[in-house]
Amino acid sequence: TVALKVTDISGCTDSVRITAAVTIKKPNATFYAYDTVACPGFPIKVVCPYAERGIIYRWDFGDGGTASIQSPSHIYLQEGLYTIKLIIENKYGCTDTSVVVNMIRVKKTIASFNMSDSFRTCPPLIIQFTNHSSGDVGISWNFGDSTTTNAFNPSHFYTYPGNYTATMIAQGPGGCADTMSKTIIVKGPKGTINYSPLSLCKPYL
């Protein structure tokens, strides 16, 4: 609020008072990311909460990529650590800058596992699975016989002859995933039985 009072040589006065005559604004370039770890090729969204009419945003994502909106998404194609910089400027020419060093970590998710055995001439076959994945945040297994698990290093019994495909899915940050499969062979005789009739009335033999 600005007030002005004038007095002439005769002692007469006049004054004026203007409410909110001057507005002082300092922009704030603070920002955050929804995810700070991701796989190559998956978008990372960053947000600057500060907004007002006429604001200008200048983003630098550390890999040569830039943006000029309040909440951009960016895709990193290579593994590494990336520093994000934001400069904002309001319509009065006031600026603010924020830099977060090594804010984003981009790493591939690679599924890998070993098995204690993969062949047997007759069932049962018990296999110990050892997880060697990297860059994962979760593991799921499908043993190829309608059974699954989320255990890190599971063991599994195969009780019936056949060829099975054991599949590991390594989930990475940001929704990416990698898959690895191996074949398991259990030899041995297979048999079926057929009989009729399938329904009878009491008494029956």
Side-chain angles (χ1 to χ4, degrees):
T1 298
V2 178
L4 172 64
K5 181 179 181 181
V6 295
T7 304
D8 64 16
I9 58 175
S10 301
C12 301
T13 63
D14 190 20
S15 63
V16 63
R17 183 181 181 89
I18 302 176
T19 303
V22 178
T23 300
I24 305 298
K25 288 191 175 183
K26 184 183 186 309
N28 184 355
T30 301
F31 63 90
Y32 63 90
Y34 283 106
D35 293 298
T36 57
V37 182
C39 300
F42 281 77
I44 291 180
K45 187 177 181 65
V46 289
V47 177
C48 175
Y50 186 85
E52 65 176 72
R53 184 181 298 274
I55 201 79
I56 297 173
Y57 302 89
R58 298 188 184 95
W59 295 90
D60 183 340
F61 295 106
D63 63 346
T66 60
S68 57
I69 60 176
Q70 182 182 1
S71 303
S73 293
H74 185 69
I75 294 176
Y76 291 94
L77 300 179
Q78 303 295 328
E79 290 185 289
L81 292 171
Y82 295 93
T83 296
I84 295 183
K85 178 181 180 180
L86 172 63
I87 302 173
I88 64 174
E89 180 180 347
N90 65 18
K91 62 183 179 180
Y92 309 108
C94 304
T95 64
D96 191 36
T97 302
S98 286
V99 178
V100 181
V101 178
N102 296 336
M103 181 181 191
I104 305 299
R105 179 173 179 260
V106 180
K107 185 174 179 59
K108 291 181 180 178
T109 297
I110 300 175
S112 178
F113 68 92
N114 289 334
M115 302 187 302
S116 60
D117 199 358
S118 62
F119 177 82
R120 186 152 188 175
T121 56
C122 60
L125 170 63
I126 182 171
I127 297 179
Q128 177 66 46
F129 296 88
T130 304
N131 176 20
H132 294 290
S133 300
S134 62
D136 59 281
V137 296
I139 298 293
S140 61
W141 301 82
N142 187 323
F143 298 113
D145 59 355
S146 300
T147 57
T148 61
T149 184
N150 293 321
F152 190 76
N153 292 313
S155 58
H156 186 67
F157 275 97
Y158 290 91
T159 59
Y160 193 74
N163 292 350
Y164 303 94
T165 300
T167 301
M168 166 206 272
I169 301 175
Q171 293 97 19
C176 58
D178 190 37
T179 301
M180 182 178 186
S181 298
K182 292 187 179 183
T183 300
I184 297 160
I185 300 174
V186 181
K187 296 290 187 179
K190 297 180 181 180
T192 59
I193 183 171
N194 295 312
Y195 57 93
S196 63
L198 299 180
S199 61
L200 295 169
C201 298
K202 290 184 178 181
Y204 55 86
L205 297 175

